[in-house]
Amino acid sequence: MAKMSQDCMDLINNAYAAAVATCSADGVPNVVCSSMKQAYDDETVTISDQYLRKTLANLRENPRMAVSVWDDEHGYQVKGIVTYEDEGERYEAIAAQVHAILSSMGYDFYSKGVCWLHVEEVYSLTPGDQAGERIA
């Protein structure tokens, strides 16, 4: 398992949204935008499921995911295997956190589940000679 740098984790946690990519078993890609994401630790990214219909269908067929985040100066892409939880202590903690954030914004949405991305690779999205280079 690869480890994300502190800068990568900070960008995941502070970027407004992330591009979340999955692929069906027969190779059809799907990319969605998610603002309810966090670097849980240096080996794990969580993505809360409010509306992940196609994403979840893809993950059931092919449990691989890529998450990309960026700002005006740099970015990262994180790839790995996903497990999905919709019950238990970890799910309840993330779901409560997501509900509190969304409620504070005036939304009454709940997390249906949590994608736990177990990081296997990290790539640079920073423009320049090392763009696309694997860094972890």
Side-chain angles (χ1 to χ4, degrees):
M1 203 175 275
K3 293 183 185 284
M4 296 178 288
S5 67
Q6 186 63 51
D7 186 59
C8 180
M9 294 188 311
D10 290 345
L11 191 53
I12 289 169
N13 290 338
N14 295 314
Y16 175 74
V20 177
T22 58
C23 196
S24 66
D26 59 352
V28 177
N30 183 60
V31 179
V32 298
C33 186
S34 177
S35 60
M36 294 293 105
K37 78 294 182 257
Q38 76 176 55
Y40 185 77
D41 59 34
D42 63 1
E43 296 179 330
T44 314
V45 176
T46 62
I47 305 290
S48 177
D49 171 15
Q50 280 78 247
Y51 321 103
L52 298 179
R53 184 181 331 193
K54 182 61 180 166
T55 299
L56 187 54
N58 283 351
L59 290 171
R60 288 184 175 131
E61 296 177 9
N62 176 5
R64 303 196 61 75
M65 178 184 280
V67 174
S68 294
V69 292
W70 59 91
D71 61 17
D72 291 340
E73 298 174 6
H74 71 305
Y76 298 95
Q77 181 184 72
V78 178
K79 296 180 181 182
I81 300 290
V82 171
T83 57
Y84 185 85
E85 295 179 6
D86 57 5
E87 62 183 12
E89 192 173 310
R90 290 191 327 167
Y91 159 71
E92 295 293 337
I94 298 293
Q97 179 184 24
V98 166
H99 184 67
I101 292 167
L102 293 174
S103 292
S104 74
M105 298 167 63
Y107 299 110
D108 190 30
F109 299 128
Y110 291 86
S111 177
K112 295 185 244 176
V114 177
C115 298
W116 294 84
L117 171 63
H118 307 284
V119 177
E120 294 182 332
E121 302 170 277
V122 180
Y123 293 86
S124 172
L125 296 181
T126 302
D129 292 341
Q130 293 156 343
E133 182 176 300
R134 185 174 175 173
I135 55 177

